[in-house]
Short mmCIF file of all heavy atoms in Angstrom, two decimals:
data_model
loop_
_atom_site.label_atom_id
_atom_site.label_comp_id
_atom_site.label_asym_id
_atom_site.label_seq_id
_atom_site.Cartn_x
_atom_site.Cartn_y
_atom_site.Cartn_z
N CYS A 15 86.39 128.58 146.11
CA CYS A 15 87.21 127.40 146.44
C CYS A 15 86.31 126.30 147.08
O CYS A 15 86.69 125.67 147.95
CB CYS A 15 88.36 127.70 147.32
SG CYS A 15 87.99 128.66 148.80
N CYS A 16 85.03 126.13 146.56
CA CYS A 16 84.24 125.09 147.05
C CYS A 16 84.44 123.86 146.32
O CYS A 16 85.09 123.82 145.31
CB CYS A 16 82.77 125.55 146.97
SG CYS A 16 82.34 126.35 145.39
N ARG A 17 83.97 122.68 146.90
CA ARG A 17 84.21 121.43 146.31
C ARG A 17 82.97 120.90 145.53
O ARG A 17 81.84 121.30 145.88
CB ARG A 17 84.47 120.42 147.43
CG ARG A 17 85.68 120.78 148.35
CD ARG A 17 87.00 120.70 147.72
NE ARG A 17 87.26 119.40 147.19
CZ ARG A 17 88.24 119.09 146.36
NH1 ARG A 17 88.96 120.06 145.85
NH2 ARG A 17 88.51 117.86 146.09
N PRO A 18 83.11 120.07 144.54
CA PRO A 18 81.93 119.50 143.84
C PRO A 18 81.08 118.65 144.73
O PRO A 18 81.46 118.08 145.68
CB PRO A 18 82.64 118.65 142.84
CG PRO A 18 84.08 118.82 142.88
CD PRO A 18 84.40 119.53 144.09
N VAL A 19 79.76 118.74 144.44
CA VAL A 19 78.83 117.92 145.14
C VAL A 19 78.61 116.56 144.49
O VAL A 19 77.86 115.76 145.02
CB VAL A 19 77.49 118.64 145.31
CG1 VAL A 19 77.61 119.88 146.11
CG2 VAL A 19 76.83 118.98 143.93
N ASN A 20 79.25 116.34 143.36
CA ASN A 20 79.20 115.07 142.69
C ASN A 20 80.52 114.81 141.83
O ASN A 20 81.38 115.66 141.85
CB ASN A 20 78.02 114.95 141.83
CG ASN A 20 78.02 116.03 140.75
OD1 ASN A 20 78.85 116.16 139.87
ND2 ASN A 20 76.86 116.87 140.65
N ASP A 21 80.62 113.68 141.22
CA ASP A 21 81.85 113.38 140.41
C ASP A 21 81.49 113.27 139.02
O ASP A 21 82.28 112.60 138.31
CB ASP A 21 82.54 112.21 140.93
CG ASP A 21 81.76 110.90 140.91
OD1 ASP A 21 80.55 110.96 140.46
OD2 ASP A 21 82.28 109.83 141.19
N GLU A 22 80.51 114.03 138.49
CA GLU A 22 80.14 113.92 137.18
C GLU A 22 81.19 114.47 136.20
O GLU A 22 81.35 113.99 135.08
CB GLU A 22 78.79 114.76 136.95
CG GLU A 22 78.22 114.54 135.55
CD GLU A 22 76.83 115.13 135.46
OE1 GLU A 22 76.23 115.54 136.51
OE2 GLU A 22 76.25 115.04 134.37
N TYR A 23 81.98 115.49 136.58
CA TYR A 23 82.96 116.05 135.74
C TYR A 23 84.30 115.83 136.35
O TYR A 23 84.78 116.54 137.26
CB TYR A 23 82.74 117.62 135.58
CG TYR A 23 81.39 117.80 134.83
CD1 TYR A 23 80.24 118.04 135.58
CD2 TYR A 23 81.37 117.81 133.43
CE1 TYR A 23 79.05 118.30 134.88
CE2 TYR A 23 80.20 118.04 132.83
CZ TYR A 23 79.06 118.28 133.55
OH TYR A 23 77.85 118.50 132.87
N LYS A 24 85.01 114.70 136.09
CA LYS A 24 86.24 114.37 136.65
C LYS A 24 87.24 115.46 136.39
O LYS A 24 87.38 116.07 135.31
CB LYS A 24 86.65 113.10 136.12
CG LYS A 24 85.82 111.83 136.18
CD LYS A 24 85.85 111.15 137.53
CE LYS A 24 84.95 109.94 137.52
NZ LYS A 24 84.26 109.82 138.71
N GLY A 25 88.12 115.74 137.37
CA GLY A 25 89.20 116.70 137.22
C GLY A 25 88.72 118.13 137.43
O GLY A 25 89.56 118.99 137.36
N ILE A 26 87.43 118.35 137.56
CA ILE A 26 86.93 119.73 137.96
C ILE A 26 86.61 119.75 139.33
O ILE A 26 85.52 119.28 139.81
CB ILE A 26 85.72 120.06 137.16
CG1 ILE A 26 85.90 119.88 135.59
CG2 ILE A 26 85.20 121.49 137.44
CD1 ILE A 26 86.92 120.85 134.93
N ASP A 27 87.61 120.18 140.28
CA ASP A 27 87.55 120.18 141.67
C ASP A 27 87.24 121.57 142.38
O ASP A 27 87.21 121.55 143.51
CB ASP A 27 88.73 119.56 142.27
CG ASP A 27 88.85 118.04 141.82
OD1 ASP A 27 87.84 117.40 141.70
OD2 ASP A 27 90.01 117.61 141.55
N SER A 28 87.11 122.55 141.48
CA SER A 28 87.01 123.86 142.09
C SER A 28 86.44 124.88 140.99
O SER A 28 86.65 124.48 139.67
CB SER A 28 88.33 124.55 142.51
OG SER A 28 89.13 124.79 141.55
N PRO A 29 85.76 125.84 141.34
CA PRO A 29 85.31 126.85 140.38
C PRO A 29 86.41 127.39 139.47
O PRO A 29 86.24 127.62 138.27
CB PRO A 29 84.60 127.95 141.14
CG PRO A 29 84.19 127.21 142.29
CD PRO A 29 85.28 126.25 142.65
N ARG A 30 87.59 127.54 140.10
CA ARG A 30 88.71 128.03 139.18
C ARG A 30 89.15 127.03 138.11
O ARG A 30 89.44 127.34 137.01
CB ARG A 30 89.96 128.36 140.05
CG ARG A 30 89.70 129.56 140.92
CD ARG A 30 90.92 129.88 141.82
NE ARG A 30 90.45 130.37 143.00
CZ ARG A 30 91.10 130.22 144.20
NH1 ARG A 30 92.22 129.75 144.21
NH2 ARG A 30 90.59 130.76 145.22
N GLN A 31 89.10 125.74 138.48
CA GLN A 31 89.37 124.68 137.47
C GLN A 31 88.29 124.64 136.43
O GLN A 31 88.59 124.42 135.22
CB GLN A 31 89.58 123.32 138.12
CG GLN A 31 90.87 123.18 138.86
CD GLN A 31 90.90 121.80 139.50
OE1 GLN A 31 89.95 121.25 139.92
NE2 GLN A 31 92.18 121.27 139.62
N LEU A 32 87.07 124.90 136.92
CA LEU A 32 85.95 124.94 135.92
C LEU A 32 86.14 126.16 134.95
O LEU A 32 86.05 125.96 133.72
CB LEU A 32 84.63 125.06 136.60
CG LEU A 32 83.44 125.19 135.67
CD1 LEU A 32 83.27 124.15 134.70
CD2 LEU A 32 82.18 125.44 136.49
N TYR A 33 86.55 127.25 135.42
CA TYR A 33 86.83 128.43 134.61
C TYR A 33 87.95 128.07 133.59
O TYR A 33 87.80 128.38 132.36
CB TYR A 33 87.20 129.63 135.55
CG TYR A 33 87.49 130.84 134.76
CD1 TYR A 33 86.53 131.76 134.43
CD2 TYR A 33 88.87 131.13 134.36
CE1 TYR A 33 86.88 132.89 133.66
CE2 TYR A 33 89.13 132.22 133.68
CZ TYR A 33 88.18 133.16 133.36
OH TYR A 33 88.48 134.24 132.71
N ASP A 34 88.95 127.47 134.02
CA ASP A 34 90.07 127.04 133.15
C ASP A 34 89.63 126.22 131.98
O ASP A 34 89.96 126.39 130.80
CB ASP A 34 91.17 126.35 133.88
CG ASP A 34 91.92 127.24 134.95
OD1 ASP A 34 91.79 128.41 134.85
OD2 ASP A 34 92.57 126.64 135.77
N ALA A 35 88.78 125.23 132.39
CA ALA A 35 88.21 124.28 131.33
C ALA A 35 87.29 125.10 130.43
O ALA A 35 87.31 124.88 129.10
CB ALA A 35 87.41 123.22 132.02
N LEU A 36 86.44 125.93 130.94
CA LEU A 36 85.49 126.68 130.02
C LEU A 36 86.19 127.67 129.04
O LEU A 36 85.73 127.90 128.04
CB LEU A 36 84.51 127.44 130.85
CG LEU A 36 83.57 126.68 131.72
CD1 LEU A 36 82.63 127.34 132.67
CD2 LEU A 36 82.64 125.79 130.66
N LEU A 37 87.32 128.13 129.44
CA LEU A 37 88.21 128.85 128.49
C LEU A 37 88.43 128.13 127.18
O LEU A 37 88.60 128.76 126.08
CB LEU A 37 89.53 129.32 129.01
CG LEU A 37 89.40 130.39 130.16
CD1 LEU A 37 90.80 130.67 130.73
CD2 LEU A 37 88.70 131.56 129.68
N HIS A 38 88.37 126.74 127.22
CA HIS A 38 88.52 125.91 126.00
C HIS A 38 87.17 125.67 125.32
O HIS A 38 87.29 125.03 124.23
CB HIS A 38 89.23 124.67 126.38
CG HIS A 38 90.66 124.83 126.99
ND1 HIS A 38 91.72 125.00 126.19
CD2 HIS A 38 90.98 124.94 128.29
CE1 HIS A 38 92.80 125.24 127.01
NE2 HIS A 38 92.32 125.07 128.23
N ILE A 39 86.09 125.95 126.03
CA ILE A 39 84.77 125.49 125.55
C ILE A 39 83.88 126.60 125.16
O ILE A 39 83.18 126.53 124.07
CB ILE A 39 84.08 124.60 126.60
CG1 ILE A 39 84.93 123.38 126.89
CG2 ILE A 39 82.77 124.22 126.20
CD1 ILE A 39 84.47 122.65 128.26
N TRP A 40 83.91 127.72 125.87
CA TRP A 40 83.09 128.84 125.51
C TRP A 40 83.34 129.24 124.13
O TRP A 40 84.53 129.27 123.62
CB TRP A 40 83.28 130.05 126.40
CG TRP A 40 82.72 130.02 127.80
CD1 TRP A 40 81.43 129.54 128.12
CD2 TRP A 40 83.27 130.47 128.92
NE1 TRP A 40 81.36 129.75 129.46
CE2 TRP A 40 82.37 130.32 130.03
CE3 TRP A 40 84.60 131.07 129.22
CZ2 TRP A 40 82.64 130.68 131.26
CZ3 TRP A 40 84.83 131.42 130.52
CH2 TRP A 40 83.89 131.25 131.56
N CYS A 41 82.36 129.44 123.31
CA CYS A 41 82.47 129.85 121.95
C CYS A 41 81.25 130.68 121.42
O CYS A 41 80.39 130.95 122.26
CB CYS A 41 82.64 128.57 121.06
SG CYS A 41 81.13 127.55 121.14
N GLU A 42 81.32 131.09 120.18
CA GLU A 42 80.27 131.89 119.69
C GLU A 42 78.91 131.16 119.76
O GLU A 42 77.97 131.71 120.12
CB GLU A 42 80.54 132.19 118.20
CG GLU A 42 79.56 133.04 117.59
CD GLU A 42 80.00 133.52 116.16
OE1 GLU A 42 81.04 133.14 115.68
OE2 GLU A 42 79.09 134.13 115.46
N TYR A 43 78.89 129.81 119.58
CA TYR A 43 77.67 129.02 119.74
C TYR A 43 77.10 129.11 121.15
O TYR A 43 75.87 129.14 121.32
CB TYR A 43 77.88 127.56 119.34
CG TYR A 43 76.70 126.72 119.53
CD1 TYR A 43 75.56 126.85 118.63
CD2 TYR A 43 76.54 125.84 120.55
CE1 TYR A 43 74.29 126.17 118.92
CE2 TYR A 43 75.42 125.16 120.83
CZ TYR A 43 74.34 125.29 120.02
OH TYR A 43 73.15 124.57 120.23
N THR A 44 77.97 129.08 122.14
CA THR A 44 77.41 129.00 123.58
C THR A 44 77.02 130.48 123.98
O THR A 44 76.34 130.55 125.05
CB THR A 44 78.42 128.40 124.55
OG1 THR A 44 79.72 129.16 124.44
CG2 THR A 44 78.69 126.99 124.23
N CYS A 45 77.37 131.50 123.22
CA CYS A 45 77.00 132.82 123.53
C CYS A 45 75.46 133.13 123.23
O CYS A 45 74.96 132.52 122.27
CB CYS A 45 77.83 133.81 122.67
SG CYS A 45 77.48 135.55 122.95
N ALA A 46 74.82 133.81 124.02
CA ALA A 46 73.36 134.21 123.73
C ALA A 46 73.29 134.81 122.38
O ALA A 46 74.15 135.69 122.03
CB ALA A 46 72.94 135.22 124.87
N PRO A 47 72.31 134.38 121.64
CA PRO A 47 72.14 134.73 120.21
C PRO A 47 72.17 136.31 120.04
O PRO A 47 72.74 136.86 119.12
CB PRO A 47 70.87 134.12 119.79
CG PRO A 47 70.69 132.97 120.61
CD PRO A 47 71.35 133.29 122.08
N ARG A 48 71.52 137.01 120.96
CA ARG A 48 71.39 138.50 120.83
C ARG A 48 72.77 139.19 121.03
O ARG A 48 72.93 140.38 120.64
CB ARG A 48 70.38 139.07 121.81
CG ARG A 48 70.76 138.90 123.34
CD ARG A 48 69.63 139.45 124.35
NE ARG A 48 69.98 138.92 125.57
CZ ARG A 48 70.86 139.57 126.45
NH1 ARG A 48 71.42 140.65 126.02
NH2 ARG A 48 70.92 139.22 127.61
N LEU A 49 73.77 138.42 121.46
CA LEU A 49 75.06 139.06 121.71
C LEU A 49 76.13 138.49 120.76
O LEU A 49 77.24 138.88 120.83
CB LEU A 49 75.51 138.84 123.20
CG LEU A 49 74.61 139.54 124.22
CD1 LEU A 49 74.99 139.11 125.64
CD2 LEU A 49 74.69 140.99 124.12
N ARG A 50 75.78 137.57 120.03
CA ARG A 50 76.81 136.80 119.09
C ARG A 50 77.60 137.71 118.17
O ARG A 50 78.80 137.53 118.03
CB ARG A 50 76.18 135.68 118.33
CG ARG A 50 75.89 134.44 119.09
CD ARG A 50 75.46 133.34 118.30
NE ARG A 50 75.12 132.22 119.24
CZ ARG A 50 74.17 131.23 118.98
NH1 ARG A 50 73.52 131.39 117.86
NH2 ARG A 50 73.92 130.46 119.86
N SER A 51 76.92 138.81 117.69
CA SER A 51 77.72 139.60 116.86
C SER A 51 78.81 140.40 117.49
O SER A 51 79.74 140.88 116.91
CB SER A 51 76.71 140.62 116.10
OG SER A 51 76.08 141.50 117.06
N LYS A 52 78.74 140.48 118.86
CA LYS A 52 79.77 141.13 119.66
C LYS A 52 80.77 140.23 120.27
O LYS A 52 81.72 140.71 120.92
CB LYS A 52 79.11 142.06 120.80
CG LYS A 52 78.19 143.08 120.23
CD LYS A 52 77.46 143.85 121.30
CE LYS A 52 76.55 144.93 120.72
NZ LYS A 52 75.65 145.48 121.72
N TRP A 53 80.55 138.98 120.18
CA TRP A 53 81.35 138.01 120.94
C TRP A 53 82.71 137.86 120.20
O TRP A 53 82.69 137.85 118.93
CB TRP A 53 80.64 136.58 120.89
CG TRP A 53 81.50 135.57 121.72
CD1 TRP A 53 81.33 135.29 123.06
CD2 TRP A 53 82.50 134.67 121.24
NE1 TRP A 53 82.24 134.33 123.43
CE2 TRP A 53 82.95 134.04 122.29
CE3 TRP A 53 83.05 134.48 119.93
CZ2 TRP A 53 84.02 133.00 122.18
CZ3 TRP A 53 84.14 133.59 119.89
CH2 TRP A 53 84.48 132.81 120.97
N THR A 54 83.70 137.75 120.92
CA THR A 54 85.06 137.58 120.46
C THR A 54 85.85 136.71 121.45
O THR A 54 85.46 136.46 122.58
CB THR A 54 85.95 138.86 120.30
OG1 THR A 54 86.11 139.42 121.59
CG2 THR A 54 85.14 139.86 119.42
N ARG A 55 87.00 136.13 121.05
CA ARG A 55 87.82 135.35 121.82
C ARG A 55 88.35 136.22 123.05
O ARG A 55 88.67 135.77 124.13
CB ARG A 55 88.97 134.68 121.17
CG ARG A 55 88.64 133.60 120.13
CD ARG A 55 88.02 132.30 120.59
NE ARG A 55 88.74 131.57 121.61
CZ ARG A 55 88.23 130.57 122.30
NH1 ARG A 55 86.96 130.17 122.05
NH2 ARG A 55 88.90 129.90 123.16
N GLU A 56 88.56 137.49 122.72
CA GLU A 56 89.04 138.52 123.71
C GLU A 56 87.96 138.83 124.86
O GLU A 56 88.33 139.22 125.89
CB GLU A 56 89.48 139.78 123.11
CG GLU A 56 90.72 139.63 122.22
CD GLU A 56 90.58 138.85 120.89
OE1 GLU A 56 89.48 138.94 120.30
OE2 GLU A 56 91.37 138.09 120.53
N ASN A 57 86.72 138.63 124.43
CA ASN A 57 85.59 138.82 125.38
C ASN A 57 84.81 137.51 125.44
O ASN A 57 83.65 137.47 125.26
CB ASN A 57 84.68 140.00 124.99
CG ASN A 57 83.77 140.40 126.11
OD1 ASN A 57 83.78 139.81 127.18
ND2 ASN A 57 82.96 141.33 125.89
N ILE A 58 85.55 136.48 125.85
CA ILE A 58 85.05 135.08 125.73
C ILE A 58 83.87 134.78 126.66
O ILE A 58 83.06 133.94 126.40
CB ILE A 58 86.18 134.10 126.13
CG1 ILE A 58 85.85 132.73 125.57
CG2 ILE A 58 86.57 134.13 127.53
CD1 ILE A 58 87.08 131.78 125.51
N THR A 59 83.65 135.61 127.75
CA THR A 59 82.53 135.38 128.74
C THR A 59 81.31 136.05 128.35
O THR A 59 80.18 135.86 128.93
CB THR A 59 82.94 135.75 130.09
OG1 THR A 59 83.17 137.16 130.15
CG2 THR A 59 84.19 134.98 130.57
N LEU A 60 81.33 136.84 127.30
CA LEU A 60 80.11 137.55 126.77
C LEU A 60 79.01 136.63 126.41
O LEU A 60 79.23 135.67 125.72
CB LEU A 60 80.48 138.51 125.54
CG LEU A 60 79.29 139.23 125.04
CD1 LEU A 60 78.82 140.34 126.03
CD2 LEU A 60 79.61 139.88 123.69
N GLY A 61 77.81 136.89 126.99
CA GLY A 61 76.65 136.06 126.67
C GLY A 61 76.63 134.62 127.19
O GLY A 61 75.89 133.78 126.74
N GLN A 62 77.48 134.36 128.20
CA GLN A 62 77.62 132.92 128.68
C GLN A 62 77.04 132.75 130.10
O GLN A 62 77.16 131.64 130.62
CB GLN A 62 79.10 132.57 128.76
CG GLN A 62 79.97 132.86 127.52
CD GLN A 62 79.68 131.94 126.34
OE1 GLN A 62 79.08 130.82 126.49
NE2 GLN A 62 80.05 132.30 125.18
#
């Protein structure tokens, strides 16, 4: 529950809010290449 040190990302005011946003952004492309074959929406944080 820490606060941002800058205002570069408006509306992201806590790590939990960042996590919520990243659920919409993490994808196969953002996954490490060596893990992409195992990446799924169900394991969205894999390789991130």
Side-chain angles (χ1 to χ4, degrees):
C15 51
C16 45
R17 305 292 298 164
V19 295
N20 60 56
D21 61 356
E22 190 169 352
Y23 297 94
K24 305 276 189 221
I26 305 296
D27 295 322
S28 72
R30 289 181 218 153
Q31 286 179 328
L32 175 58
Y33 178 88
D34 293 343
L36 291 173
L37 289 176
H38 298 277
I39 300 168
W40 283 319
C41 62
E42 187 175 351
Y43 175 74
T44 58
C45 178
R48 65 185 169 79
L49 298 171
R50 280 189 187 148
S51 65
K52 297 176 184 173
W53 185 89
T54 64
R55 297 291 305 165
E56 290 73 35
N57 193 1
I58 198 166
T59 64
L60 179 68
Q62 312 286 345

